[in-house]
Amino acid sequence: MGTSLGDVWQDVLSVQPDPEQWIIVTTAVVALATVLLGPPWRVARNVVTIVHEGGHALLALLSGRQLTGIRLHSDTSGVTVSRGKPTGVGMILTVFAGYIAPSVVGLLGILMLMSGRITALLWLSIVFLAAMLVMIRNFYGVLSIVLTGAVVFGVSWFTPHEVQAAFAYLFIWFLLFAGVRPVLELQSQRMRNPSPQSDADQMARLTGLPGTFWVMVFLLVNAAVTGLGVWLLFF
């Protein structure tokens, strides 16, 4: 990685060669294991929460709402608060975006990786985290964003392209695979301890359709996006 701003910009705009197939396969296996196994999932799920709340925030802004703050909690939950009309398409899109955001971001990342934009992907992630940091309203949220950003920055700045490629594929595979498990956890939580504030139950109030219906929609969208991502890279 270059050390001047000109070198950085050139690296961001350049196309990097694809890693060897075994790296793509290995990172996919490691990412899937991270999602399926309890201890690594409890740590890595913080990244999912960041993307989840980022999805809410982005759609709030795109739909014309005023974003007032984001909070990330140590139990890997989060809250995004925006102001605007409490009903309507804008609010529906804002609420809907959260649970599908990790898988969708994973798919978009795969498209970037397929075009060789590995360094660009890493720096785009840093920009996304910096934009979120401005809206974070609690200490743990700041800590989560800063630590995640520091890891991505360290890889993008201090490591060779081969390491960047392996990290980028691991990161994107994880987001792609990580979309399904939180939806299953959501339904399990709804059955044990129903909460009117869950995204599915907010969607129920906004649309008149049952919360369980929206859980199934989240699940189907994420499963379809994950399948498409795997197909694009392997078939």
Side-chain angles (χ1 to χ4, degrees):
M1 186 73 182
T3 56
S4 71
L5 289 178
D7 292 333
V8 171
W9 188 242
Q10 182 177 355
D11 280 338
V12 170
L13 294 179
S14 64
V15 175
Q16 290 80 40
D18 293 333
E20 296 183 30
Q21 188 71 10
W22 71 267
I23 293 178
I24 298 175
V25 174
T26 300
T27 53
V29 172
V30 172
L32 184 58
T34 301
V35 172
L36 294 177
L37 300 177
W41 171 248
R42 283 191 289 272
V43 176
R45 200 186 191 288
N46 286 281
V47 176
V48 178
T49 303
I50 291 173
V51 179
H52 177 114
E53 299 305 327
H56 285 315
L58 179 60
L59 264 294
L61 292 173
L62 291 178
S63 61
R65 300 180 63 80
Q66 181 183 356
L67 185 63
T68 58
I70 301 170
R71 300 176 71 87
L72 306 174
H73 303 134
S74 58
D75 62 356
T76 71
S77 64
V79 178
T80 298
V81 179
S82 61
R83 293 177 181 173
K85 187 178 178 181
T87 58
V89 175
M91 188 63 185
I92 291 173
L93 292 176
T94 298
V95 176
F96 182 75
Y99 274 100
I100 68 168
S103 294
V104 171
V105 171
L107 179 61
L108 294 175
I110 282 179
L111 296 176
M112 290 189 69
L113 294 178
M114 291 177 66
S115 63
R117 303 291 179 178
I118 295 170
T119 304
L121 172 66
L122 296 177
W123 279 89
L124 186 61
S125 301
I126 294 172
V127 170
F128 169 80
L129 291 168
M132 278 195 68
L133 183 61
V134 176
M135 300 307 302
I136 296 295
R137 297 293 182 262
N138 67 321
F139 175 77
Y140 185 83
V142 170
L143 183 64
S144 295
I145 295 289
V146 170
L147 288 178
T148 304
V151 171
V152 179
F153 175 79
V155 171
S156 64
W157 188 267
F158 295 110
T159 66
H161 288 304
E162 295 80 6
V163 176
Q164 291 183 32
F167 177 84
Y169 272 90
L170 177 62
F171 177 55
I172 292 304
W173 275 129
F174 171 74
L175 288 180
L176 189 71
F177 292 144
V180 172
R181 180 164 178 172
V183 179
L184 298 177
E185 292 174 345
L186 167 65
Q187 182 60 16
S188 177
Q189 181 180 7
R190 291 180 71 245
M191 294 175 66
R192 295 194 316 270
N193 185 24
S195 170
Q197 298 306 314
S198 76
D199 288 3
D201 292 290
Q202 289 186 64
M203 289 295 293
R205 290 196 301 274
L206 289 166
T207 64
L209 297 172
T212 303
F213 169 83
W214 289 108
V215 171
M216 293 302 299
V217 171
F218 296 152
L219 187 62
L220 290 173
V221 169
N222 288 346
V225 170
T226 300
L228 178 58
V230 172
W231 181 81
L232 285 173
L233 275 181
F234 289 133
F235 302 99

